[in-house]
Amino acid sequence: AQRVTQPEKLLSVFKGAPVELKCNYSYSGSPELFWYVQYSRQRLQLLLRHISRESIKGFTADLNKGETSFHLKKPFAQEEDSAMYYCASGMDSSYKLIFGSGTRLLVRP
Amino acid sequence: NAGVMQNPRHLVRRRGQEARLRCSPMKGHSHVYWYRQLPEEGLKFMVYLQKENIIDESGMPKERFSAEFPKEGPSILRIQQVVRGDSAAYFCASSPLSVNEQFFGPGTRLTVL
């Protein structure tokens, strides 16, 4: 079955430390990949999509087809980055998003 | 634009009752998606609708669940004869086109006693 895996439920780092949230997908085709973020008491919102190749709030993510990964990275974490992060893939058709189980990022002062 | 609206935000039902969850998409959006999130899991696709049409309901349980998006009014996700296993957060998303970014609502948390 097509799947998106986020192996870490919780990632805790100190402010200023680098962050990498892992995401792996299983799909033989050409997926469209996304990172969504949910800050405390807010709704889920799109952070990044791989086709745009943007850097949002200092976060970047590169699609690695060889490793089937789309890890989210930020060189220097900020306290306001603390949130729940979900990796998602649009497989077969981009409207049917398949989500990972999420990683809670906690950035400590 | 107020964003995707969902109501109620919290819904408590006893086993065997019906649950109706409403979703008003963003203005100008004619595509609606419903997702369910069980505890400790990611969001799982349930159904994709356009105005008056169900496009893809491959993620909907075969029984008790139905969805509609009428010409006028919000999209409705209906769960008949709820069971404890239906307790979850139900999220609605909308987009102007099927290949665009999906904008999510705040979710409805259903608790079945």
mmCIF file of all heavy atoms in Angstrom, chain A residues 19-55:
data_model
loop_
_atom_site.group_PDB
_atom_site.id
_atom_site.type_symbol
_atom_site.label_atom_id
_atom_site.label_comp_id
_atom_site.label_asym_id
_atom_site.label_seq_id
_atom_site.Cartn_x
_atom_site.Cartn_y
_atom_site.Cartn_z
ATOM 1 N N VAL A 19 17.479 21.470 12.621
ATOM 2 C CA VAL A 19 16.328 20.574 12.716
ATOM 3 C C VAL A 19 16.184 19.796 11.425
ATOM 4 O O VAL A 19 16.340 20.352 10.335
ATOM 5 C CB VAL A 19 15.025 21.379 12.960
ATOM 6 C CG1 VAL A 19 13.800 20.509 12.750
ATOM 7 C CG2 VAL A 19 15.018 21.967 14.352
ATOM 8 N N GLU A 20 15.896 18.500 11.558
ATOM 9 C CA GLU A 20 15.544 17.694 10.392
ATOM 10 C C GLU A 20 14.383 16.795 10.775
ATOM 11 O O GLU A 20 14.521 15.929 11.640
ATOM 12 C CB GLU A 20 16.722 16.854 9.910
ATOM 13 C CG GLU A 20 16.363 16.054 8.653
ATOM 14 C CD GLU A 20 17.521 15.222 8.118
ATOM 15 O OE1 GLU A 20 17.914 14.252 8.814
ATOM 16 O OE2 GLU A 20 18.012 15.525 7.015
ATOM 17 N N LEU A 21 13.262 16.983 10.143
ATOM 18 C CA LEU A 21 12.100 16.117 10.362
ATOM 19 C C LEU A 21 12.032 15.152 9.188
ATOM 20 O O LEU A 21 11.946 15.573 8.033
ATOM 21 C CB LEU A 21 10.810 16.926 10.454
ATOM 22 C CG LEU A 21 10.630 17.749 11.728
ATOM 23 C CD1 LEU A 21 11.319 19.090 11.599
ATOM 24 C CD2 LEU A 21 9.161 17.948 12.023
ATOM 25 N N LYS A 22 12.020 13.869 9.498
ATOM 26 C CA LYS A 22 12.135 12.867 8.449
ATOM 27 C C LYS A 22 10.781 12.467 7.871
ATOM 28 O O LYS A 22 9.769 12.402 8.574
ATOM 29 C CB LYS A 22 12.846 11.625 8.997
ATOM 30 C CG LYS A 22 14.322 11.862 9.321
ATOM 31 C CD LYS A 22 14.993 10.587 9.751
ATOM 32 C CE LYS A 22 16.501 10.731 9.835
ATOM 33 N NZ LYS A 22 16.937 11.891 10.623
ATOM 34 N N CYS A 23 10.821 12.218 6.567
ATOM 35 C CA CYS A 23 9.624 11.750 5.870
ATOM 36 C C CYS A 23 10.068 10.819 4.751
ATOM 37 O O CYS A 23 10.907 11.182 3.926
ATOM 38 C CB CYS A 23 8.842 12.920 5.287
ATOM 39 S SG CYS A 23 7.474 12.433 4.207
ATOM 40 N N ASN A 24 9.501 9.634 4.730
ATOM 41 C CA ASN A 24 9.749 8.694 3.643
ATOM 42 C C ASN A 24 8.419 8.281 3.026
ATOM 43 O O ASN A 24 7.409 8.193 3.713
ATOM 44 C CB ASN A 24 10.494 7.455 4.154
ATOM 45 C CG ASN A 24 11.932 7.761 4.477
ATOM 46 O OD1 ASN A 24 12.254 8.146 5.607
ATOM 47 N ND2 ASN A 24 12.800 7.612 3.495
ATOM 48 N N TYR A 25 8.428 8.052 1.738
ATOM 49 C CA TYR A 25 7.208 7.641 1.068
ATOM 50 C C TYR A 25 7.461 6.357 0.296
ATOM 51 O O TYR A 25 8.598 6.034 -0.049
ATOM 52 C CB TYR A 25 6.717 8.747 0.129
ATOM 53 C CG TYR A 25 7.661 9.065 -1.005
ATOM 54 C CD1 TYR A 25 7.544 8.424 -2.230
ATOM 55 C CD2 TYR A 25 8.681 10.006 -0.844
ATOM 56 C CE1 TYR A 25 8.416 8.697 -3.268
ATOM 57 C CE2 TYR A 25 9.560 10.289 -1.876
ATOM 58 C CZ TYR A 25 9.430 9.632 -3.078
ATOM 59 O OH TYR A 25 10.307 9.899 -4.103
ATOM 60 N N SER A 26 6.407 5.638 0.049
ATOM 61 C CA SER A 26 6.511 4.419 -0.758
ATOM 62 C C SER A 26 5.574 4.572 -1.939
ATOM 63 O O SER A 26 4.358 4.555 -1.788
ATOM 64 C CB SER A 26 6.134 3.184 0.061
ATOM 65 O OG SER A 26 4.806 3.255 0.505
ATOM 66 N N TYR A 27 6.165 4.804 -3.075
ATOM 67 C CA TYR A 27 5.372 4.973 -4.305
ATOM 68 C C TYR A 27 6.317 4.904 -5.473
ATOM 69 O O TYR A 27 7.359 5.558 -5.465
ATOM 70 C CB TYR A 27 4.644 6.312 -4.290
ATOM 71 C CG TYR A 27 3.736 6.538 -5.478
ATOM 72 C CD1 TYR A 27 2.675 5.675 -5.737
ATOM 73 C CD2 TYR A 27 3.946 7.601 -6.349
ATOM 74 C CE1 TYR A 27 1.847 5.868 -6.829
ATOM 75 C CE2 TYR A 27 3.119 7.810 -7.436
ATOM 76 C CZ TYR A 27 2.073 6.935 -7.666
ATOM 77 O OH TYR A 27 1.246 7.129 -8.737
ATOM 78 N N SER A 28 5.973 4.145 -6.477
ATOM 79 C CA SER A 28 6.882 3.944 -7.601
ATOM 80 C C SER A 28 6.735 5.013 -8.670
ATOM 81 O O SER A 28 7.576 5.146 -9.545
ATOM 82 C CB SER A 28 6.643 2.565 -8.228
ATOM 83 O OG SER A 28 5.283 2.459 -8.630
ATOM 84 N N GLY A 29 5.693 5.808 -8.578
ATOM 85 C CA GLY A 29 5.463 6.825 -9.598
ATOM 86 C C GLY A 29 6.126 8.143 -9.246
ATOM 87 O O GLY A 29 7.163 8.189 -8.591
ATOM 88 N N SER A 30 5.528 9.224 -9.677
ATOM 89 C CA SER A 30 6.057 10.569 -9.403
ATOM 90 C C SER A 30 5.117 11.274 -8.437
ATOM 91 O O SER A 30 4.131 11.868 -8.858
ATOM 92 C CB SER A 30 6.176 11.366 -10.701
ATOM 93 O OG SER A 30 7.101 10.765 -11.563
ATOM 94 N N PRO A 31 5.406 11.192 -7.162
ATOM 95 C CA PRO A 31 4.482 11.793 -6.204
ATOM 96 C C PRO A 31 4.650 13.296 -6.127
ATOM 97 O O PRO A 31 5.694 13.838 -6.501
ATOM 98 C CB PRO A 31 4.903 11.140 -4.880
ATOM 99 C CG PRO A 31 6.370 10.907 -5.053
ATOM 100 C CD PRO A 31 6.563 10.572 -6.517
ATOM 101 N N GLU A 32 3.618 13.941 -5.650
ATOM 102 C CA GLU A 32 3.734 15.347 -5.305
ATOM 103 C C GLU A 32 3.760 15.402 -3.775
ATOM 104 O O GLU A 32 2.886 14.836 -3.130
ATOM 105 C CB GLU A 32 2.553 16.151 -5.837
ATOM 106 C CG GLU A 32 2.720 17.640 -5.605
ATOM 107 C CD GLU A 32 1.727 18.476 -6.369
ATOM 108 O OE1 GLU A 32 0.916 17.901 -7.121
ATOM 109 O OE2 GLU A 32 1.765 19.717 -6.211
ATOM 110 N N LEU A 33 4.760 16.036 -3.219
ATOM 111 C CA LEU A 33 4.973 15.984 -1.765
ATOM 112 C C LEU A 33 4.814 17.333 -1.113
ATOM 113 O O LEU A 33 5.141 18.376 -1.701
ATOM 114 C CB LEU A 33 6.354 15.402 -1.464
ATOM 115 C CG LEU A 33 6.381 13.904 -1.761
ATOM 116 C CD1 LEU A 33 7.760 13.456 -2.165
ATOM 117 C CD2 LEU A 33 5.924 13.105 -0.555
ATOM 118 N N PHE A 34 4.275 17.295 0.114
ATOM 119 C CA PHE A 34 3.952 18.500 0.855
ATOM 120 C C PHE A 34 4.390 18.355 2.321
ATOM 121 O O PHE A 34 4.454 17.253 2.852
ATOM 122 C CB PHE A 34 2.424 18.737 0.878
ATOM 123 C CG PHE A 34 1.757 18.707 -0.461
ATOM 124 C CD1 PHE A 34 1.386 17.510 -1.038
ATOM 125 C CD2 PHE A 34 1.475 19.884 -1.138
ATOM 126 C CE1 PHE A 34 0.758 17.467 -2.273
ATOM 127 C CE2 PHE A 34 0.843 19.864 -2.365
ATOM 128 C CZ PHE A 34 0.480 18.657 -2.934
ATOM 129 N N TRP A 35 4.640 19.491 2.933
ATOM 130 C CA TRP A 35 4.732 19.566 4.392
ATOM 131 C C TRP A 35 3.645 20.513 4.882
ATOM 132 O O TRP A 35 3.535 21.644 4.396
ATOM 133 C CB TRP A 35 6.100 20.061 4.853
ATOM 134 C CG TRP A 35 7.124 18.982 4.934
ATOM 135 C CD1 TRP A 35 8.096 18.678 4.015
ATOM 136 C CD2 TRP A 35 7.302 18.049 6.005
ATOM 137 N NE1 TRP A 35 8.855 17.614 4.436
ATOM 138 C CE2 TRP A 35 8.384 17.211 5.667
ATOM 139 C CE3 TRP A 35 6.655 17.834 7.224
ATOM 140 C CZ2 TRP A 35 8.831 16.178 6.490
ATOM 141 C CZ3 TRP A 35 7.097 16.813 8.040
ATOM 142 C CH2 TRP A 35 8.178 15.993 7.682
ATOM 143 N N TYR A 36 2.830 20.015 5.828
ATOM 144 C CA TYR A 36 1.811 20.820 6.482
ATOM 145 C C TYR A 36 2.241 21.043 7.924
ATOM 146 O O TYR A 36 2.887 20.192 8.549
ATOM 147 C CB TYR A 36 0.453 20.126 6.465
ATOM 148 C CG TYR A 36 -0.292 20.263 5.162
ATOM 149 C CD1 TYR A 36 -0.011 19.417 4.083
ATOM 150 C CD2 TYR A 36 -1.272 21.231 4.993
ATOM 151 C CE1 TYR A 36 -0.700 19.541 2.883
ATOM 152 C CE2 TYR A 36 -1.968 21.365 3.796
ATOM 153 C CZ TYR A 36 -1.667 20.518 2.743
ATOM 154 O OH TYR A 36 -2.343 20.640 1.561
ATOM 155 N N VAL A 37 1.829 22.176 8.491
ATOM 156 C CA VAL A 37 2.163 22.495 9.874
ATOM 157 C C VAL A 37 0.883 22.891 10.613
ATOM 158 O O VAL A 37 -0.026 23.494 10.036
ATOM 159 C CB VAL A 37 3.224 23.614 9.958
ATOM 160 C CG1 VAL A 37 2.734 24.896 9.325
ATOM 161 C CG2 VAL A 37 3.647 23.872 11.402
ATOM 162 N N GLN A 38 0.827 22.483 11.867
ATOM 163 C CA GLN A 38 -0.307 22.870 12.719
ATOM 164 C C GLN A 38 0.240 23.445 14.007
ATOM 165 O O GLN A 38 0.757 22.703 14.866
ATOM 166 C CB GLN A 38 -1.213 21.677 12.996
ATOM 167 C CG GLN A 38 -2.498 22.045 13.713
ATOM 168 C CD GLN A 38 -3.458 20.884 13.800
ATOM 169 O OE1 GLN A 38 -3.056 19.726 13.829
ATOM 170 N NE2 GLN A 38 -4.743 21.185 13.846
ATOM 171 N N TYR A 39 0.161 24.776 14.139
ATOM 172 C CA TYR A 39 0.565 25.431 15.376
ATOM 173 C C TYR A 39 -0.538 25.252 16.415
ATOM 174 O O TYR A 39 -1.682 24.969 16.079
ATOM 175 C CB TYR A 39 0.845 26.911 15.127
ATOM 176 C CG TYR A 39 1.956 27.154 14.126
ATOM 177 C CD1 TYR A 39 1.672 27.538 12.818
ATOM 178 C CD2 TYR A 39 3.289 26.976 14.480
ATOM 179 C CE1 TYR A 39 2.676 27.738 11.894
ATOM 180 C CE2 TYR A 39 4.302 27.180 13.560
ATOM 181 C CZ TYR A 39 3.991 27.548 12.274
ATOM 182 O OH TYR A 39 5.000 27.740 11.351
ATOM 183 N N SER A 40 -0.170 25.458 17.663
ATOM 184 C CA SER A 40 -1.112 25.231 18.751
ATOM 185 C C SER A 40 -2.393 26.033 18.544
ATOM 186 O O SER A 40 -2.359 27.225 18.279
ATOM 187 C CB SER A 40 -0.454 25.650 20.072
ATOM 188 O OG SER A 40 -1.341 25.459 21.141
ATOM 189 N N ARG A 41 -3.530 25.339 18.605
ATOM 190 C CA ARG A 41 -4.860 25.961 18.504
ATOM 191 C C ARG A 41 -5.119 26.593 17.142
ATOM 192 O O ARG A 41 -5.995 27.449 17.011
ATOM 193 C CB ARG A 41 -5.082 26.998 19.605
ATOM 194 C CG ARG A 41 -5.031 26.423 20.988
ATOM 195 C CD ARG A 41 -5.528 27.427 22.027
ATOM 196 N NE ARG A 41 -5.188 27.000 23.381
ATOM 197 C CZ ARG A 41 -4.042 27.276 23.973
ATOM 198 N NH1 ARG A 41 -3.130 27.980 23.358
ATOM 199 N NH2 ARG A 41 -3.794 26.851 25.199
ATOM 200 N N GLN A 42 -4.358 26.198 16.138
ATOM 201 C CA GLN A 42 -4.605 26.714 14.794
ATOM 202 C C GLN A 42 -4.896 25.552 13.851
ATOM 203 O O GLN A 42 -4.694 24.397 14.187
ATOM 204 C CB GLN A 42 -3.406 27.515 14.292
ATOM 205 C CG GLN A 42 -3.153 28.791 15.084
ATOM 206 C CD GLN A 42 -2.059 29.632 14.459
ATOM 207 O OE1 GLN A 42 -1.845 29.602 13.253
ATOM 208 N NE2 GLN A 42 -1.371 30.403 15.282
ATOM 209 N N ARG A 43 -5.372 25.885 12.677
ATOM 210 C CA ARG A 43 -5.688 24.842 11.719
ATOM 211 C C ARG A 43 -4.457 24.426 10.924
ATOM 212 O O ARG A 43 -3.456 25.134 10.892
ATOM 213 C CB ARG A 43 -6.806 25.313 10.782
ATOM 214 C CG ARG A 43 -6.470 26.527 9.958
ATOM 215 C CD ARG A 43 -7.691 27.023 9.208
ATOM 216 N NE ARG A 43 -8.704 27.530 10.106
ATOM 217 C CZ ARG A 43 -9.961 27.791 9.738
ATOM 218 N NH1 ARG A 43 -10.330 27.579 8.487
ATOM 219 N NH2 ARG A 43 -10.842 28.267 10.588
ATOM 220 N N LEU A 44 -4.602 23.293 10.293
ATOM 221 C CA LEU A 44 -3.525 22.768 9.452
ATOM 222 C C LEU A 44 -3.298 23.719 8.273
ATOM 223 O O LEU A 44 -4.250 24.168 7.636
ATOM 224 C CB LEU A 44 -3.974 21.400 8.924
ATOM 225 C CG LEU A 44 -2.947 20.382 8.498
ATOM 226 C CD1 LEU A 44 -2.053 19.990 9.647
ATOM 227 C CD2 LEU A 44 -3.643 19.157 7.933
ATOM 228 N N GLN A 45 -2.044 24.029 7.999
ATOM 229 C CA GLN A 45 -1.761 24.921 6.872
ATOM 230 C C GLN A 45 -0.546 24.416 6.106
ATOM 231 O O GLN A 45 0.367 23.804 6.673
ATOM 232 C CB GLN A 45 -1.541 26.356 7.356
ATOM 233 C CG GLN A 45 -0.464 26.516 8.398
ATOM 234 C CD GLN A 45 -0.415 27.929 8.960
ATOM 235 O OE1 GLN A 45 0.048 28.840 8.295
ATOM 236 N NE2 GLN A 45 -0.902 28.100 10.165
ATOM 237 N N LEU A 46 -0.544 24.692 4.824
ATOM 238 C CA LEU A 46 0.550 24.249 3.969
ATOM 239 C C LEU A 46 1.815 25.029 4.277
ATOM 240 O O LEU A 46 1.792 26.260 4.343
ATOM 241 C CB LEU A 46 0.168 24.424 2.497
ATOM 242 C CG LEU A 46 1.206 23.985 1.476
ATOM 243 C CD1 LEU A 46 1.415 22.479 1.541
ATOM 244 C CD2 LEU A 46 0.781 24.407 0.072
ATOM 245 N N LEU A 47 2.917 24.315 4.460
ATOM 246 C CA LEU A 47 4.202 24.963 4.698
ATOM 247 C C LEU A 47 5.018 24.965 3.403
ATOM 248 O O LEU A 47 5.536 25.997 2.985
ATOM 249 C CB LEU A 47 4.954 24.219 5.803
ATOM 250 C CG LEU A 47 6.324 24.739 6.179
ATOM 251 C CD1 LEU A 47 6.233 26.137 6.776
ATOM 252 C CD2 LEU A 47 7.009 23.802 7.177
ATOM 253 N N LEU A 48 5.148 23.786 2.790
ATOM 254 C CA LEU A 48 5.976 23.655 1.591
ATOM 255 C C LEU A 48 5.362 22.629 0.652
ATOM 256 O O LEU A 48 4.740 21.678 1.097
ATOM 257 C CB LEU A 48 7.358 23.102 1.949
ATOM 258 C CG LEU A 48 8.417 23.968 2.578
ATOM 259 C CD1 LEU A 48 9.641 23.090 2.863
ATOM 260 C CD2 LEU A 48 8.810 25.088 1.632
ATOM 261 N N ARG A 49 5.610 22.808 -0.643
ATOM 262 C CA ARG A 49 5.329 21.754 -1.617
ATOM 263 C C ARG A 49 6.565 21.604 -2.492
ATOM 264 O O ARG A 49 7.209 22.607 -2.820
ATOM 265 C CB ARG A 49 4.081 22.044 -2.437
ATOM 266 C CG ARG A 49 4.096 23.329 -3.212
ATOM 267 C CD ARG A 49 2.720 23.733 -3.709
ATOM 268 N NE ARG A 49 1.986 22.674 -4.366
ATOM 269 C CZ ARG A 49 0.726 22.801 -4.791
ATOM 270 N NH1 ARG A 49 0.085 23.937 -4.617
ATOM 271 N NH2 ARG A 49 0.096 21.805 -5.374
ATOM 272 N N HIS A 50 6.913 20.405 -2.830
ATOM 273 C CA HIS A 50 8.222 20.169 -3.436
ATOM 274 C C HIS A 50 8.341 20.804 -4.807
ATOM 275 O O HIS A 50 9.432 21.206 -5.208
ATOM 276 C CB HIS A 50 8.550 18.670 -3.491
ATOM 277 C CG HIS A 50 8.089 17.972 -4.739
ATOM 278 N ND1 HIS A 50 6.836 17.432 -4.873
ATOM 279 C CD2 HIS A 50 8.715 17.743 -5.917
ATOM 280 C CE1 HIS A 50 6.718 16.876 -6.046
ATOM 281 N NE2 HIS A 50 7.834 17.042 -6.723
ATOM 282 N N ILE A 51 7.220 20.959 -5.520
ATOM 283 C CA ILE A 51 7.341 21.488 -6.873
ATOM 284 C C ILE A 51 7.692 22.979 -6.872
ATOM 285 O O ILE A 51 8.224 23.488 -7.846
ATOM 286 C CB ILE A 51 6.054 21.266 -7.680
ATOM 287 C CG1 ILE A 51 4.847 21.911 -6.991
ATOM 288 C CG2 ILE A 51 5.821 19.791 -7.905
ATOM 289 C CD1 ILE A 51 3.606 21.910 -7.843
ATOM 290 N N SER A 52 7.414 23.669 -5.766
ATOM 291 C CA SER A 52 7.686 25.099 -5.751
ATOM 292 C C SER A 52 9.135 25.394 -5.374
ATOM 293 O O SER A 52 9.637 26.470 -5.661
ATOM 294 C CB SER A 52 6.740 25.803 -4.782
ATOM 295 O OG SER A 52 6.953 25.329 -3.468
ATOM 296 N N ARG A 53 9.761 24.438 -4.672
ATOM 297 C CA ARG A 53 11.175 24.577 -4.295
ATOM 298 C C ARG A 53 11.440 25.889 -3.542
ATOM 299 O O ARG A 53 12.454 26.549 -3.750
ATOM 300 C CB ARG A 53 12.080 24.469 -5.512
ATOM 301 C CG ARG A 53 11.897 23.172 -6.293
ATOM 302 C CD ARG A 53 12.893 23.083 -7.447
ATOM 303 N NE ARG A 53 14.250 22.902 -6.965
ATOM 304 C CZ ARG A 53 14.772 21.739 -6.587
ATOM 305 N NH1 ARG A 53 14.044 20.644 -6.623
ATOM 306 N NH2 ARG A 53 16.018 21.658 -6.183
ATOM 307 N N GLU A 54 10.485 26.275 -2.697
ATOM 308 C CA GLU A 54 10.652 27.515 -1.942
ATOM 309 C C GLU A 54 11.273 27.234 -0.582
ATOM 310 O O GLU A 54 11.342 26.095 -0.135
ATOM 311 C CB GLU A 54 9.277 28.154 -1.706
ATOM 312 C CG GLU A 54 8.608 28.693 -2.950
ATOM 313 C CD GLU A 54 7.220 29.204 -2.642
ATOM 314 O OE1 GLU A 54 6.386 28.412 -2.198
ATOM 315 O OE2 GLU A 54 6.994 30.411 -2.839
ATOM 316 N N SER A 55 11.677 28.302 0.066
ATOM 317 C CA SER A 55 12.062 28.238 1.461
ATOM 318 C C SER A 55 11.059 29.078 2.220
ATOM 319 O O SER A 55 10.914 30.278 1.965
ATOM 320 C CB SER A 55 13.475 28.795 1.654
ATOM 321 O OG SER A 55 13.770 28.888 3.025
#
